[in-house]
Amino acid sequence: MYSPLPDSPHLALCIATVGRITELDRLLTSLEQQTCTNFHIYLADQNAPGTLDAMLQKHAGLQMTRILLPSRGVSIARNALLSLVEDENILIFPDDDCWYAPDTLAQVAEAFQRHPQAGTVMGKSIDASPASPCGQDAPVSQIGTFKHGETYLQFFRAEVVKDLRFDPQLGPGTGLPYGCGEDTDYLLEAHKRAPVWRCPSIRVFHPSPDTHVPSDAKIASYAAGRMYLLKKHAFPLWFRCANVLYPLCMLPLDALRKGHKAARYRWRMFVERLRHFSS
């Protein structure tokens, strides 16, 4: 059992950003609206010098530590931010294109109070207007963490992951083929240390791939990262095969419900996962 968190825990938000001024502005605006204000932002700015200056000035009231880094990957940036974190109780790694409901951080703190054994709590992804929370809190299995391991939904007890770092081979910006998976990898490692709970009352907004279809290059890099991760953590063969076949099975349904772009997205996903299955 870990030490109980204080009634008003201190949260560290470690944000790595490059090429997203408008999206980061939206995230920071949502942080200004939080009912829980006991947090500090650690920002790894991987843009050209001066790119974010004017926008960040709008949010001067936020407690923020900013470092300038070359664009060498999100994992390296987050690891650099982790070295700056001091005595915060909860660690968060928001995507720079997500944003929070006004009670998101308050709900995170409450979730850890409800589940004192948890090392990680996970929220609910929302891609449209705010919706009422639904569902009950539930523990998450290893496979569950893999299926729903998006960075922006993860909230960690700092005591559990204080020495854990992101795999620098994984994630966008590394120059390597593995364009995703750093977040799920981190979560899987945290899951080995302490239980993970999904808490739907924690709402996080994020653009849907249905309205923001990735490029072919991004789809390929995501597939490479996913298949690398499945092998790294020794998931069973049946689950690896299911990951390859899933987009192919979903293709007809998405074609009927969402149209040609969604169907093409599923097809490219299948092709790239199959290509990296044995690589």
Side-chain angles (χ1 to χ4, degrees), residues 141-175:
S141 66
Q142 183 199 38
I143 288 179
T145 61
F146 182 85
K147 291 170 63 179
H148 305 287
E150 296 88 349
T151 323
Y152 61 92
L153 297 179
Q154 303 173 14
F155 306 88
F156 299 94
R157 184 188 296 267
E159 184 181 0
V160 174
V161 297
K162 60 184 178 182
D163 61 339
L164 185 60
R165 295 297 182 266
F166 287 86
D167 184 341
Q169 292 192 83
L170 291 171
T174 62

Side-chain angles (χ1 to χ4, degrees), residues 17-31:
T17 186
V18 61
R20 286 176 172 165
I21 301 174
T22 302
E23 293 87 348
L24 181 61
D25 183 28
R26 177 177 59 191
L27 171 59
L28 296 179
T29 298
S30 76
L31 291 175

Side-chain angles (χ1 to χ4, degrees), residues 66-251:
R66 176 191 180 193
I67 58 173
L68 300 176
L69 294 176
S71 183
R72 293 187 297 156
V74 68
S75 292
I76 289 176
R78 287 179 178 147
N79 288 341
L81 293 176
L82 281 169
S83 67
L84 302 177
V85 174
E86 297 180 348
D87 58 354
E88 285 85 0
N89 309 110
I90 297 172
L91 291 178
I92 309 171
F93 303 96
D95 284 354
D96 57 2
D97 61 344
C98 79
W99 66 103
Y100 289 168
D103 67 344
T104 295
L105 296 184
Q107 290 291 343
V108 170
E110 290 182 20
F112 276 110
Q113 298 292 348
R114 292 196 301 275
H115 306 292
Q117 79 281 21
T120 309
V121 298
M122 299 181 65
K124 175 183 177 181
S125 181
I126 301 172
D127 57 26
S129 59
S132 299
C134 60
Q136 301 294 319
D137 292 4
V140 184
S141 66
Q142 183 199 38
I143 288 179
T145 61
F146 182 85
K147 291 170 63 179
H148 305 287
E150 296 88 349
T151 323
Y152 61 92
L153 297 179
Q154 303 173 14
F155 306 88
F156 299 94
R157 184 188 296 267
E159 184 181 0
V160 174
V161 297
K162 60 184 178 182
D163 61 339
L164 185 60
R165 295 297 182 266
F166 287 86
D167 184 341
Q169 292 192 83
L170 291 171
T174 62
L176 298 172
Y178 314 120
C180 76
E182 80 293 340
D183 45 6
T184 307
D185 180 64
Y186 195 90
L187 180 62
L188 286 166
E189 294 294 341
H191 184 269
K192 296 174 184 177
R193 302 181 177 197
V196 177
W197 279 76
R198 179 171 295 281
C199 302
S201 60
I202 304 169
R203 297 173 295 159
V204 183
F205 298 90
H206 193 273
S208 167
D210 294 339
T211 55
H212 297 76
V213 178
S215 66
D216 285 355
K218 192 169 186 178
I219 294 171
S221 70
Y222 275 29
R226 172 175 283 254
M227 303 314 293
Y228 170 92
L229 195 63
L230 285 166
K231 285 178 278 188
K232 177 180 178 179
H233 288 274
F235 279 88
L237 179 62
W238 72 264
F239 188 67
R240 291 168 56 196
C241 292
N243 268 263
V244 173
L245 294 174
Y246 175 77
L248 187 62
C249 295
M250 289 297 295
L251 191 155

